[in-house]
Amino acid sequence: MENTKLTARDFAPSQPVKWCPGCGDFAILAQVHKTMAAMGLPHEKYVVVSGIGCSSRFPYYVNTYGVHSIHGRAPAVASGIKLSNPELSVWVVTGDGDGLSIGGNHMLHAIRRNIGLKILLFNNRIYAMTKGQASPTTQLGTKTKTTPMGTIDYPFNPARFAIGLDCTFVARGLDTDMALTSRILERAAGHKGTAFVEIFQKCLPFSEKEFDDLKDPQKKDDLTIKVEHGKPLIFGKNRNKGIVFRNFRSEIVEFEAGSIPAEVAVYDETNAEMAYLISGFQAPEFPIPFGVFRASEKPSYEELYYNQVAAVGDTKGNELETLLSGPDAWEVK
Amino acid sequence: MNKSPSKKEVKISELNSITIRFAGDSGDGIQLVGHQFANATAIAGNDLSTLPDYPSEVRSPAGSLGGVSGFQISFGDESVKTPGTKPNVLIVMNPAALAVNIKNVDKGSVIIANSDAFNQGALEKAGYSSNPLEDGTLANYRVLPVPVNTLTENTLKDSGLTRSQILKCKNFYMLGIMYWMYGLPLEPTVNWIKIKFKKTPELAKANQLVLAAGSAYSEATEMFDARFQIKKSPVAPGNYRNLTGNEAAAYALITAAKLLKRKLFYGSYPITPATEILQTLAKHRANDVVVFQTEDEIAAICASIGASFAGCLAATGTSGPGLSLKTEAMGLAVITELPLVIVNVQRGGPSTGLPTKTEQSDLLQSVYGRHGESPLVVLAASSPADCFTTTLEAARIAVKYMTPVIVLSNAYLSNGSEPFRIPKLKELPKFDVPRLPEPGQFKPYMRNPETLARPWAYAGLKGYEHRIGGLEKSDGDGAVSHDPENHELMSKLRAEKIARVAADIPPTKVYGALEGDLLVVGWGSTFGAITQAVNEARRTGLQVSSAHVKYMNPLPPDLGTVMRRFRKILVPEENFGQFRMMLRAAYALEPIGLNKVQGQALNSDEILVKIKEILRGS
């Protein structure tokens, strides 16, 4: 392998990127270019696979191998690629509608198998490409073109969906927080099994105000919490609030800044139960969590598959005629 | 086995062929004995054709009419082309099996019945008010009652097995009787038993004892006054194996991948009657075969498309309803121009229809069933062993032309079996992988001037990074394009590419005279029945020929010329005239249809009757 180090620029497309000006997708795209360069694999080892929707134009904007497939089916296409050639770093880019509505079944089975895909789910809580209908993550009561009286479908919480399925890597990022998104993508890139990353991303034309509070410098510190392995769960403008788990319930405690009480939980990303509790946090009762919720080791699907093959023993060298004959052939002279 | 002199002179009659039907409860092991019997006849040098016929319910109540499982086999010399219409010998393990099958057995035929199973309860379940073996209703048949339960129990009384274990062996007793009757060797089945029951030697021993006892009983008893010697089929020398259509398709896929020197990827979701392809391939994982059992039909084809993009020879298999689900993804395979083999084992439809029964009614779905201008190649297999040839051909075309190819099989072919001559490596077709240009010259949608195939640059290959997808691409460079002229050009190129496959189609073979009164044109699984009917008709002096079509899209370039040499065309098919419609559209001809939509294969008698009707009326 040549030792030329690739940069983010090497992954940039030769074609113009066609998203609405100001779309959060641009920032995520830039982070993905950067992450791929940092991963250190040669160009040809990356494949980006998508379904349908704004985010799903992604493969055209990464200078690697890519498949822009059909609505909801990216995890299935990507699974076929990964299982065919486990050496490839396979990335799935999908949206809340694509990945959790029409593609819900494939998403849940990809996670169940722990197949080595990096799944980036851009959550703007709306169908953007079809111009503003309710999606599976549209918040209850939201008025959209298809729900003029407000949605009555309870929304999915994508990160919690993945944690509920025992996904081995689950994180949540925010399009405007580059440092956070960058850290998450870097870790997802190095994860062995399925990495599921939900990224809040606002859609300028159709869900413009969706995450405004989470980005407002005045409000964001009280409305959000960053979880980090081994660090206490504290938040607030003055870093004076913490999360306590009592009797399997989460509670918020306030304290004097600088003196964190012992009862405040120290986050453990290998603890599935803690990840599940955190992922359920809803505003305004609790701060919205960001960061890596879950990171655990489990053999990946492709690893188990090829281990089985290795255990059977290599019969590749067998003559085709021997293979076709099987055990019960007879000869006619 | 047959050393002791018989007490009575047994007459040995020589026959060209015979049709036997085993029938019993679905728990009686009918398919198993049928399969063993088929292997034994094949090893004895007969040509054969089989038809398993089992209920779609997993397990109907024991002894009920709905739970009857059947296995029909026709074996003999080279005249055997189908599993036969009506059995000459019906073997029934219980009254329900008799009740279900008797209407299809001609008077004078032989019925061998397990008389022990004809008790009060079983007779009532089968709807009999008295015992048909005793009340004279079968007076016009040659009924041979054999107390199989009692005889099996006597054979195994010292085996230490439980009564229920002992009774499970009774099917081998019946099999032993049949082996004696037709002078077939026990060894292949004995060898099979030894492998099958390796972990339970007591059961292996019991089954062998029972099999031998059945044969010895026939030798000793005076009830069988005749044995039959079935004429052998003059077959080409070589190694043979008995394969079902599904097994043949599976082995063809492995063979194709080997010839291509690529991994095979098979993505599939279990569906009757295609599942056996998935199961067969699952055994061969260590042979560079990647088998992926997916969450649904859509995932199956999508994963296979992904695998094809990653450089594997990719295939997926399904049956009608599954093909419907795969439809959108087939469009993706068409526009991305990736090689993909799609095996559709047709069954009765629509919807769940008749899941275990055969039909030929997915032809139009296969040829036309996608949105947009979305042409792909469709081939149809004509016999169980031909599923090998056809699937291999599908893979060759898929790779050469960079296109999805549908292989049409059906329940009749997939479950039926016949001897398959194992090909030598050098007899197999060449696989031409489109040569890749140098990376600097590469464009994803550049085309081979002869075949119009685009280059198969696959993920992982240095220097050929590119993006493909469902959006229309511009000619050559493959950038997303909404240009109206480009879309029409690309649509034409994709259609022209498929049309050029016609260059690979061999001349249409006509059986019989090249011109005349009537040409019977068939496709797919009706091959055997048509051939048999046409042979029969010609024997009686009728001017009739036949031609069989494997290439359903594109159609053979000479087919129109071939058909126009005949005054009339008959198209027998197991649908309401789908191929007939295609022929009318392509050649402006008016063929006559013979159509059957009963979940049953057209048989040669039905075709013969139609041939006579047409020729007498003309």
Side-chain angles (χ1 to χ4, degrees):
Chain A
M1 203 188 293
E2 292 165 48
N3 231 350
T4 24
K5 213 164 157 30
L6 298 171
T7 65
R9 187 185 285 252
D10 292 313
F11 289 91
S14 52
Q15 300 282 318
V17 179
K18 292 180 188 166
W19 281 315
C20 302
C23 177
D25 289 358
F26 285 98
I28 305 168
L29 179 66
Q31 290 307 317
V32 169
H33 291 159
K34 207 180 104 184
T35 308
M36 285 183 172
M39 251 182 112
L41 291 175
H43 264 139
E44 67 272 14
K45 299 290 184 199
Y46 293 99
V47 188
V48 184
V49 186
S50 68
I52 298 296
C54 294
S55 61
S56 287
R57 296 299 171 93
F58 215 91
Y60 295 123
Y61 306 145
V62 190
N63 182 19
T64 58
Y65 282 98
V67 186
H68 175 216
S69 74
I70 44 180
H71 210 177
R73 318 300 172 198
V77 174
S79 295
I81 295 171
K82 184 69 182 175
L83 190 53
S84 297
N85 184 356
E87 280 182 18
L88 300 171
S89 175
V90 184
W91 296 64
V92 171
V93 178
T94 182
D96 42 305
D98 186 57
L100 293 177
S101 196
I102 188 167
N105 195 33
H106 309 304
M107 182 66 76
L108 89 90
H109 286 279
I111 294 174
R112 171 175 73 90
R113 295 187 184 105
N114 196 35
I115 189 160
L117 306 177
K118 291 106 190 44
I119 301 172
L120 313 184
L121 185 136
F122 299 3
N123 183 6
N124 58 16
R125 296 180 175 169
I126 197 81
Y127 281 120
M129 185 158 262
T130 48
K131 300 186 173 58
Q133 301 79 22
S135 91
T137 57
T138 300
Q139 302 295 291
L140 207 61
T142 309
K143 290 182 177 170
T144 74
K145 284 180 185 160
T146 47
T147 58
M149 290 174 248
T151 61
I152 52 169
D153 292 32
Y154 295 103
F156 260 132
N157 171 340
R160 187 166 241 222
F161 164 88
I163 287 167
L165 290 168
D166 252 335
C167 188
T168 49
F169 183 94
V170 183
R172 180 186 284 153
L174 184 64
D175 55 359
T176 49
D177 190 339
M178 283 302 102
L180 171 74
T181 310
S182 171
R183 277 201 307 277
I184 289 173
L185 291 182
E186 205 169 299
R187 289 202 52 198
H191 183 72
K192 201 172 61 178
T194 308
F196 181 92
V197 180
E198 177 190 10
I199 305 174
F200 282 170
Q201 170 261 346
K202 90 171 163 190
C203 167
L204 282 177
F206 302 109
S207 62
E208 191 192 351
K209 301 197 181 313
E210 197 63 32
F211 305 112
D212 277 1
D213 286 352
L214 308 182
K215 298 169 181 176
D216 181 342
Q218 298 305 312
K219 298 178 184 165
K220 68 175 187 186
D221 292 332
D222 286 310
L223 281 178
T224 65
I225 182 166
K226 285 191 181 160
V227 301
E228 222 176 317
H229 185 65
K231 302 265 174 73
L233 287 171
I234 55 170
F235 68 107
K237 208 167 170 95
N238 303 316
R239 313 288 290 159
N240 64 337
K241 291 182 218 173
I243 305 294
V244 172
F245 298 122
R246 273 191 202 117
N247 296 328
F248 304 102
R249 287 178 190 281
S250 316
E251 289 176 19
I252 295 172
V253 292
E254 291 200 32
F255 49 86
E256 205 173 301
S259 59
I260 306 165
E263 61 176 351
V264 168
V266 172
Y267 197 71
D268 178 359
E269 66 188 18
T270 66
N271 183 328
E273 283 66 32
M274 209 180 263
Y276 192 73
L277 288 172
I278 277 286
S279 67
F281 285 7
Q282 304 273 10
E285 295 81 13
F286 284 98
I288 303 293
F290 291 96
V292 176
F293 296 173
R294 179 93 202 271
S296 58
E297 289 280 322
K298 192 162 86 175
S300 66
Y301 184 82
E302 61 276 17
E303 197 178 342
L304 293 173
Y305 190 94
Y306 287 99
N307 282 350
Q308 272 190 347
V309 170
V312 175
D314 187 4
T315 55
K316 273 182 271 191
N318 279 7
E319 288 292 320
L320 183 61
E321 286 160 33
T322 318
L323 172 81
L324 290 178
S325 295
D328 49 7
W330 68 90
E331 194 187 353
V332 175
K333 289 193 175 146
Chain B
M1 216 57 66
N2 303 334
K3 278 173 203 143
S4 61
S6 1
K7 295 175 210 164
K8 173 174 153 182
E9 194 61 34
V10 174
K11 187 175 74 195
I12 298 182
S13 330
E14 198 179 40
L15 303 173
N16 285 77
S17 70
I18 193 154
T19 300
I20 294 177
R21 186 173 182 90
F22 294 91
D25 197 67
S26 25
D28 282 339
I30 295 300
Q31 302 304 322
L32 193 153
V33 295
H35 199 72
Q36 288 303 314
F37 190 85
N39 272 344
T41 60
I43 290 166
N46 294 121
D47 210 347
L48 70 119
S49 176
T50 73
L51 178 68
D53 176 21
Y54 47 85
S56 60
E57 291 77 17
V58 170
R59 182 64 57 89
S60 293
S64 69
L65 294 168
V68 173
S69 173
F71 188 99
Q72 188 161 310
I73 172 169
S74 194
F75 66 106
D77 62 15
E78 77 277 23
S79 65
V80 173
K81 295 275 182 265
T82 72
T85 319
K86 294 181 171 181
N88 310 104
V89 179
L90 173 68
I91 298 120
V92 292
M93 297 303 284
N94 67 4
L98 179 68
V100 167
N101 288 290
I102 189 70
K103 55 182 179 290
N104 200 29
V105 181
D106 283 334
K107 304 263 174 357
S109 299
V110 178
I111 295 168
I112 304 177
N114 173 13
S115 53
D116 283 338
F118 284 67
N119 55 44
Q120 194 60 35
L123 288 166
E124 276 169 21
K125 266 192 211 168
Y128 287 111
S129 50
S130 64
N131 189 343
L133 302 180
E134 293 161 0
D135 64 9
T137 49
L138 300 175
N140 291 321
Y141 299 87
R142 289 183 58 210
V143 181
L144 303 173
V146 184
V148 175
N149 291 12
T150 312
L151 293 166
T152 306
E153 285 185 272
N154 289 346
T155 309
L156 296 179
K157 61 180 185 292
D158 301 325
S159 64
L161 298 177
T162 64
R163 184 160 186 270
S164 99
Q165 282 174 315
I166 288 172
L167 286 181
K168 279 210 171 104
C169 302
K170 66 176 184 291
N171 52 344
F172 279 102
Y173 201 97
M174 199 56 112
L175 190 61
I177 293 175
M178 299 313 291
Y179 282 170
W180 178 85
M181 216 168 196
Y182 295 98
L184 294 169
L186 304 185
E187 288 71 25
T189 299
V190 169
N191 293 339
W192 180 86
I193 289 171
K194 282 179 185 161
I195 296 167
K196 175 79 181 173
F197 297 100
K198 202 162 63 189
K199 287 184 183 148
T200 46
E202 65 283 3
L203 292 181
K205 195 177 157 211
N207 280 310
Q208 283 179 64
L209 275 172
V210 168
L211 182 72
S215 178
Y217 169 85
S218 317
E219 178 76 27
T221 179
E222 302 198 353
M223 65 185 299
F224 299 111
D225 55 359
R227 286 182 82 171
F228 302 94
Q229 199 167 347
I230 308 299
K231 281 191 180 157
K232 291 181 182 177
S233 181
V235 288
N239 283 322
Y240 283 80
R241 163 177 204 191
N242 199 28
L243 280 187
T244 65
N246 274 343
E247 287 167 339
Y251 284 110
L253 291 173
I254 298 178
T255 303
K258 295 262 175 214
L259 294 173
L260 195 59
K261 299 185 178 70
R262 295 276 174 89
K263 270 187 200 172
L264 172 69
F265 185 100
Y266 187 74
S268 188
Y269 183 74
I271 182 169
T272 305
T275 312
E276 205 187 4
I277 304 175
L278 173 64
Q279 290 171 181
T280 303
L281 289 171
K283 294 179 204 159
H284 291 283
R285 282 184 178 200
N287 230 304
D288 256 355
V289 174
V290 182
V291 176
F292 190 36
Q293 184 184 327
T294 53
E295 56 272 20
D296 60 28
E297 297 280 358
I298 299 172
I301 185 168
C302 285
S304 298
I305 290 171
S308 184
F309 185 62
C312 293
L313 175 70
T316 184
T318 189
S319 185
L323 194 75
S324 304
L325 282 167
K326 291 182 195 300
T327 297
E328 188 194 9
M330 270 191 262
L332 179 70
V334 168
I335 199 167
T336 54
E337 302 190 43
L338 284 167
L340 178 69
V341 177
I342 302 155
V343 183
N344 177 23
V345 186
Q346 300 165 95
R347 63 192 220 186
S351 188
T352 311
L354 306 175
T356 62
K357 305 295 178 189
T358 200
E359 215 158 278
Q360 289 187 306
S361 49
D362 294 347
L363 178 61
L364 295 181
Q365 173 177 225
S366 302
V367 176
Y368 303 114
R370 288 162 298 282
H371 75 280
E373 290 291 340
S374 187
L376 45 67
V377 180
V378 181
L379 306 182
S382 60
S383 75
D386 187 54
C387 287
F388 181 89
T389 317
T390 307
T391 308
L392 193 63
E393 174 70 346
R396 190 188 67 80
I397 290 174
V399 170
K400 181 175 173 186
Y401 291 89
M402 293 291 284
T403 175
V405 179
I406 295 178
V407 176
L408 289 173
S409 168
N410 61 13
Y412 180 81
L413 300 179
S414 66
N415 295 329
S417 67
E418 64 180 350
F420 165 72
R421 193 174 145 269
I422 297 152
K424 301 257 181 255
L425 206 55
K426 59 176 187 298
E427 300 166 350
L428 293 167
K430 293 256 179 303
F431 269 66
D432 308 315
V433 190
R435 276 270 294 276
L436 278 178
E438 290 304 306
Q441 264 96 55
F442 169 76
K443 287 178 184 170
Y445 282 84
M446 67 200 305
R447 291 178 190 279
N448 176 313
E450 186 199 330
T451 61
L452 297 184
R454 70 178 195 89
W456 190 9
Y458 52 89
L461 209 55
K462 190 175 175 59
Y464 296 92
E465 295 81 8
H466 67 284
R467 274 73 46 202
I468 55 170
L471 280 174
E472 185 64 279
K473 300 295 184 292
S474 65
D475 180 30
D477 71 10
V480 173
S481 167
H482 297 298
D483 176 56
E485 308 285 328
N486 176 74
H487 174 56
E488 188 161 303
L489 172 67
M490 290 296 271
S491 300
K492 279 183 178 163
L493 283 169
R494 287 188 290 262
E496 172 63 17
K497 182 176 78 165
I498 301 306
R500 289 195 187 185
V501 172
D504 285 29
I505 303 178
T508 301
K509 258 193 219 153
V510 176
Y511 297 88
L514 295 177
E515 53 181 31
D517 292 334
L518 178 65
L519 178 72
V520 184
V521 178
W523 68 276
S525 63
T526 49
F527 173 73
I530 291 174
T531 309
Q532 211 154 308
V534 169
N535 282 342
E536 194 65 39
R538 293 162 61 80
R539 260 200 291 277
T540 65
L542 294 172
Q543 295 293 308
V544 55
S545 304
S546 69
H548 209 74
V549 180
K550 178 192 288 290
Y551 296 81
M552 311 308 291
N553 192 50
L555 288 166
D558 63 352
L559 187 59
T561 319
V562 166
M563 288 194 297
R564 286 200 173 87
R565 295 196 187 114
F566 292 84
R567 272 185 286 285
K568 288 188 175 169
I569 309 288
L570 169 66
V571 182
E573 48 184 334
E574 290 145 18
N575 60 47
F576 286 143
Q578 298 188 10
F579 190 44
R580 193 156 42 104
M581 185 179 127
M582 285 174 63
L583 293 176
R584 268 159 51 195
Y587 306 108
L589 288 168
E590 282 297 334
I592 301 160
L594 171 62
N595 306 97
K596 183 174 178 179
V597 183
Q598 299 173 6
Q600 304 287 336
L602 267 167
N603 62 56
S604 56
D605 292 353
E606 291 164 324
I607 299 168
L608 186 59
V609 166
K610 189 73 183 176
I611 290 171
K612 286 178 177 166
E613 183 192 306
I614 294 169
L615 291 176
R616 293 211 174 110
S618 61

